[in-house]
Amino acid sequence: MRRQNTREQAARFLAGRYGADALGRFLSIAGCGFIAVALLLRTAGKAAGLSVLLGTLAIAAIAWCYFRILSRNFSRRAAENQRFLGIKDKVCGWFCLQRDCFRQRRDYCFFRCPSCHQMVRVPRGKGRIRITCRRCGYAFERKT
Ligand SMILES: [Zn+2]
């Protein structure tokens, strides 16, 4: 009976709260990661300052995570989550690009378009060539 009441109370407490989302999950994982590294550093007796900094960051990340879960301001939290997803996409996209460039480095050269910063791929070993950016049409010369 008592257990049922506690559960009901918990449900009532969480009703109308924002809850967990992608940013919340990231914050809780980052918090746990910071704690793990801080503990490792402390056990190893190295970088005491860094250990304290990571511990503080961990508390901040977890506190922010709980604040967001319990928040009643849905639109604000959803906007934060969208911003977070945008940054995450950019970071993941950058890593994918680096991985692709690395895999194809034997056959291709990679240049950034001076005009629009689009990455351009050209075959390797063609000497000095004129490259036309496929996105903006800007032409520039590079040695391959
Ligand atoms: Zn371009």
Side-chain angles (χ1 to χ4, degrees):
M1 265 326 254
R2 190 168 169 76
R3 184 173 288 267
Q4 191 61 41
N5 278 339
T6 324
R7 200 177 287 168
E8 266 174 29
Q9 275 173 356
R12 210 172 302 139
F13 180 68
L14 287 172
R17 309 275 185 166
Y18 182 70
D21 60 7
L23 175 56
R25 280 192 294 277
F26 172 78
L27 285 172
S28 59
I29 292 168
C32 293
F34 288 153
I35 288 174
V37 177
L39 284 177
L40 276 176
L41 285 174
R42 182 159 290 207
T43 318
K46 283 177 189 158
L50 184 62
S51 165
V52 171
L53 176 70
L54 283 173
T56 313
L57 280 175
I59 292 167
I62 290 167
W64 190 21
C65 174
Y66 275 97
F67 161 75
R68 295 187 72 256
I69 287 174
L70 298 176
S71 171
R72 293 183 192 277
N73 192 340
F74 278 54
S75 54
R76 265 260 174 88
R77 302 290 87 79
E80 281 169 6
N81 193 46
Q82 281 309 312
R83 269 208 303 277
F84 165 72
L85 289 175
I87 294 168
K88 191 183 129 205
D89 276 355
K90 268 190 194 162
V91 172
C92 291
W94 185 84
F95 276 109
C96 283
L97 184 67
Q98 299 307 312
R99 186 195 63 198
D100 291 347
C101 293
F102 187 76
R103 281 186 184 162
Q104 303 173 7
R105 70 193 182 285
R106 279 192 190 174
D107 305 314
Y108 296 97
C109 281
F110 294 87
F111 299 107
R112 218 167 256 292
C113 167
S115 170
C116 71
H117 305 292
Q118 167 74 32
M119 196 64 111
V120 192
R121 189 184 74 170
V122 290
R124 208 170 258 287
K126 302 278 180 200
R128 197 166 180 81
I129 56 165
R130 192 175 171 78
I131 303 163
T132 307
C133 172
R134 228 179 264 173
R135 194 210 246 173
C136 69
Y138 183 85
F140 55 101
E141 278 189 13
R142 288 286 185 279
K143 224 183 129 192
T144 59

